[in-house]
Amino acid sequence: MVKAVVGEEIQLKSVEDRLSHSRLSCQVGLVIGKISTSLDRGFVFDLVPTPLNDAGEAASWIIESKDDNNNKKKGGSKSKTQSDSSSSLSIDKDWVAEHARQVSRMLVGGMKVVGIYIWMNESLFKNSTLVLCQTVKGVADAAPIRDIGWDERLLIHISYSPSRWTCRNCSLSSNITSSSLRPCDFKMGRVFSTLQKFRCIYNFDIRFPIFHESISNPKKFAGILRDVISSHAEELKGAKALINGNLVNVDEQCSFDGVHEVEFLIPFMQHTSFQAYSEEEVVGILVFTGSVCSYAYSNSKESISQALADIKGDIVSSLHSRLDIICDEADGQLDSDSVADVGGEVSTQTPIPHFQLQSLRKGCSLCFPRRVFIPWLGDTYICDYLQPSETLEVVKDHCVELMSMEALTNTSMVLEPEAESATSMRFSTNSNSFWETAMPVSPELRPLSLNNSGDEGPVSGKQLEKSSSNVSIIAALLVLFISVLVGLFLFAFRT
């Protein structure tokens, strides 16, 4: 449970002024911030309103009771307090959850969707706790926070009658009731000035075999890659780190100014077994390679280990976000194809993420979206992802619509550290230079078969094992022969 929450005073006061001048009776949105379990404290960076849906309707509205409507028709009078107590709040929970899902992709390490806020008066809030808790639960499911094990979310109430801010912890138990809300201390202060900034350029090259035995239970391209990313995430957890080129005590606090450069050192083959496979065992190799740029923000009172955990989590979530974007686009392509097929004029073509690798007989490749960074509040950045055919105009639209930012006027401020090293993956069958794909070595070190014919095929694992055994036997015989010669020479010399 978070005992206290600190909000960025300048930004939250700006939000309150905007709401006060909007003349809205209610508004719902997302709370962007950071939760520190070590400090038992939450930090709120900004409140982002949920945009209008595709029909141009707001995500929240107030439903007045029938008595209120009848009273208005008859011209009767009723106090505002009585009217609020009989009215109820309605929220498009699915739309708010979808907003949270898309915003969570734009956040970097240490930043999360930590809850929702609601702008409404006090009496109506007391009558709407159940729908608010259900909305919080939907947001938590759409934008999960897995790396800190926090089973609650924040609910911030901005009341205009009376004028005050309150914050509550909302439990994510399966049985959501109005009693799921528990109060916590809330105050405003300076949050951005206490942040430490970390950056990492993480290069990876993952090669994953696809086995014949999986043909009976085939998995799609996207499903296999999710497993690969999750497996690599476990390996990344145990990686040691250099900060600004030096080994540091991760239990200490980071007190240096500026951006701290992080480099991870992963032990070789820590969680995998080094094993040779033959062409008969493997259909092909999934090659997943690229470079990820990651930013993370940590409170100055948190230890360096927390900042490193935020960086690692951001790298993994960035890979998952790129895959989700590709899958969403593939689903949209399937939907459009299915609609076009009604007329019988267009043939459906399965997108690459939906391929079943075990049934493929040709190699295929797929480029991931590249990550760009946009200046946000203070000295912080948020991110977005661009497909190869997209431009920075897409970033402008996403920032305005999803993050309620002003339109970017100068795109030169957008950082593009991944422009030259795009993340990609490809699937190569065992007929496409199997061993060259599985073991990318120089020609001098490339494994060769025992014969010297120029059109020889790829060397299998059994051939490599046999060749290695022959070399070991020859070496042992040479050592024995040399030992005998040395013994005879010494004997003759002494005689």
Side-chain angles (χ1 to χ4, degrees):
M1 176 179 176
V2 176
K3 296 181 180 179
V5 175
V6 181
E8 173 58 42
E9 184 174 12
I10 297 177
Q11 186 62 24
L12 297 193
K13 286 296 184 181
S14 174
V15 171
E16 186 176 20
D17 292 341
R18 171 178 56 80
L19 290 171
S20 299
H21 291 87
S22 65
R23 297 182 180 180
L24 295 173
S25 58
C26 66
Q27 186 185 81
V28 67
L30 307 178
V31 179
I32 310 300
K34 178 180 177 62
I35 298 299
S36 175
T37 54
S38 60
L39 301 177
D40 288 331
R41 182 170 293 188
F43 302 94
V44 175
F45 302 148
D46 194 14
L47 306 181
V48 180
T50 298
L52 303 178
N53 60 19
D54 296 336
E57 300 172 344
S60 62
W61 61 95
I62 296 176
I63 301 177
E64 297 182 354
S65 64
K66 293 181 180 179
D67 294 337
D68 293 339
N69 294 330
N70 294 333
N71 206 26
K72 289 180 179 179
K73 291 179 181 179
K74 294 178 181 179
S77 62
K78 193 172 186 181
S79 67
K80 191 174 187 303
T81 304
Q82 291 176 331
S83 176
D84 291 338
S85 62
S86 60
S87 301
S88 61
L89 175 70
S90 184
I91 297 178
D92 188 347
K93 295 183 282 291
D94 293 337
W95 184 248
V96 177
E98 176 63 21
H99 181 218
R101 185 179 74 92
Q102 296 191 37
V103 166
S104 64
R105 293 177 180 174
M106 302 182 69
L107 302 179
V108 299
M111 294 181 180
K112 303 291 182 182
V113 177
V114 296
I116 68 170
Y117 77 89
I118 186 70
W119 161 262
M120 64 192 320
N121 62 35
E122 186 71 28
S123 57
L124 186 56
F125 176 83
K126 294 178 180 178
N127 199 31
S128 310
T129 53
L130 182 57
V131 67
L132 288 171
C133 290
Q134 292 172 345
T135 306
V136 171
K137 181 67 165 59
V139 167
D141 293 338
I145 304 176
R146 302 185 181 91
D147 50 350
I148 62 175
W150 182 49
D151 59 351
E152 295 177 332
R153 293 296 185 272
L154 300 180
L155 172 59
I156 294 180
H157 174 214
I158 313 171
S159 174
Y160 53 82
S161 177
S163 179
R164 64 179 179 182
W165 291 65
T166 57
C167 183
R168 294 169 175 82
N169 288 298
C170 182
S171 175
L172 300 179
S173 60
S174 57
N175 185 21
I176 296 292
T177 62
S178 58
S179 60
S180 300
L181 295 177
R182 290 174 292 178
C184 65
D185 295 333
F186 179 81
K187 64 179 182 180
M188 296 190 187
R190 294 186 176 182
V191 175
F192 289 123
S193 61
T194 63
L195 294 181
Q196 293 285 327
K197 308 170 187 64
F198 297 84
R199 186 180 69 171
C200 175
I201 302 294
Y202 181 70
N203 301 307
F204 62 94
D205 191 337
I206 306 171
R207 295 168 188 267
F208 187 79
I210 307 299
F211 297 96
H212 272 289
E213 61 188 19
S214 302
I215 294 180
S216 59
N217 186 23
K219 298 182 68 174
K220 294 182 180 179
F221 206 154
I224 292 177
L225 191 58
R226 291 188 197 280
D227 295 339
V228 172
I229 295 174
S230 299
S231 176
H232 190 66
E234 293 298 321
E235 185 176 350
L236 186 59
K237 284 183 180 179
K240 303 299 180 181
L242 297 175
I243 298 182
N244 298 327
N246 301 315
L247 286 172
V248 295
N249 185 357
V250 296
D251 296 327
E252 295 180 352
Q253 299 175 359
C254 189
S255 58
F256 304 103
D257 295 330
V259 180
H260 311 304
E261 298 291 342
V262 178
E263 181 181 358
F264 288 115
L265 307 175
I266 299 180
F268 179 67
M269 305 299 287
Q270 182 181 14
H271 297 288
T272 57
S273 58
F274 187 74
Q275 186 175 354
Y277 299 102
S278 66
E279 286 186 279
E280 290 76 16
E281 298 176 280
V282 178
V283 178
I285 294 293
L286 179 66
V287 181
F288 187 37
T289 181
S291 178
V292 174
C293 180
S294 172
Y295 277 84
Y297 299 93
S298 176
N299 187 270
S300 57
K301 294 183 179 179
E302 291 182 297
S303 63
I304 295 177
S305 60
Q306 181 60 53
L308 297 179
D310 290 339
I311 281 280
K312 294 175 182 179
D314 181 63
I315 292 172
V316 176
S317 64
S318 176
L319 294 176
H320 279 297
S321 295
R322 299 172 206 238
L323 181 58
D324 291 339
I325 292 172
I326 292 175
C327 291
D328 290 346
E329 184 175 315
D331 293 337
Q333 181 178 343
L334 283 179
D335 293 340
S336 62
D337 287 343
S338 62
V339 172
D341 284 344
V342 176
E345 298 178 356
V346 180
S347 61
T348 302
Q349 182 179 4
T350 303
I352 291 178
H354 295 296
F355 281 159
Q356 292 181 350
L357 296 186
Q358 288 84 355
S359 61
L360 283 179
R361 292 297 176 264
K362 294 182 179 180
C364 60
S365 61
L366 183 64
C367 288
F368 270 39
R370 60 187 176 93
R371 196 181 199 184
V372 297
F373 296 90
I374 307 100
W376 193 42
L377 303 176
D379 294 330
T380 62
Y381 286 90
I382 57 174
C383 71
D384 202 0
Y385 298 92
L386 291 179
Q387 296 279 31
S389 60
E390 293 178 335
T391 64
L392 291 178
E393 294 298 324
V394 177
V395 175
K396 292 181 180 181
D397 296 339
H398 287 174
C399 290
V400 173
E401 181 181 3
L402 298 178
M403 299 298 294
S404 189
M405 296 170 56
E406 295 182 359
L408 290 173
T409 57
N410 186 8
T411 57
S412 63
M413 299 176 64
V414 178
L415 303 182
E416 301 181 69
E418 297 180 4
E420 297 180 357
S421 55
T423 302
S424 64
M425 67 176 180
R426 68 179 186 274
F427 172 71
S428 299
T429 64
N430 55 12
S431 60
N432 294 336
S433 301
F434 174 82
W435 284 106
E436 289 187 12
T437 304
M439 301 175 63
V441 295
S442 60
E444 293 79 6
L445 300 177
R446 186 173 300 157
L448 301 175
S449 60
L450 293 180
N451 58 20
N452 292 324
S453 60
D455 56 347
E456 58 195 17
V459 185
S460 67
K462 293 180 180 179
Q463 289 174 329
L464 286 176
E465 184 178 358
K466 182 177 179 181
S467 176
S468 177
S469 301
N470 292 337
V471 172
S472 301
I473 294 174
I474 294 173
L477 292 175
L478 285 175
V479 171
L480 179 61
F481 180 71
I482 293 174
S483 300
V484 171
L485 288 179
V486 171
L488 291 175
F489 176 77
L490 292 175
F491 178 76
F493 179 76
R494 289 180 179 178
T495 303

